[in-house]
Amino acid sequence: MLTSKAGEFAGAIWVALNEQGTLTGKDLKKAAKIKSDKELYLGLGWLLREDKIATAEAEKDITVTLK
């Protein structure tokens, strides 16, 4: 069950990044309508594993962009 949820979160993250470009973790969570950090990180992990996104550290947050 967690695998299918991770895929759903990854899809929401991908759509948000495709529409809005590079986002911080906080903005991405809001844009993708993801409720918790756990859900955000599950989706990000999925996309990182598939090599679909690039991440960078930005002060106290991360920035995420599509490759």
Side-chain angles (χ1 to χ4, degrees):
M1 178 162 148
L2 195 54
T3 303
S4 64
K5 286 288 188 185
E8 290 175 27
F9 301 141
I13 290 168
W14 191 91
V15 168
L17 290 170
N18 190 46
E19 291 175 352
Q20 298 185 29
T22 302
L23 294 169
T24 64
K26 182 179 177 182
D27 292 337
L28 180 56
K29 193 168 145 182
K30 184 176 179 180
K33 298 178 183 158
I34 291 177
K35 298 175 186 172
S36 71
D37 287 344
K38 179 176 103 174
E39 294 172 350
L40 177 66
Y41 296 135
L42 276 170
L44 289 175
W46 182 291
L47 292 168
L48 283 166
R49 179 76 172 137
E50 291 187 347
D51 200 32
K52 303 283 185 190
I53 59 172
T55 59
E57 285 188 64
E59 293 185 28
K60 295 182 180 182
D61 206 349
I62 60 170
T63 58
V64 184
T65 189
L66 290 178
K67 284 191 170 183

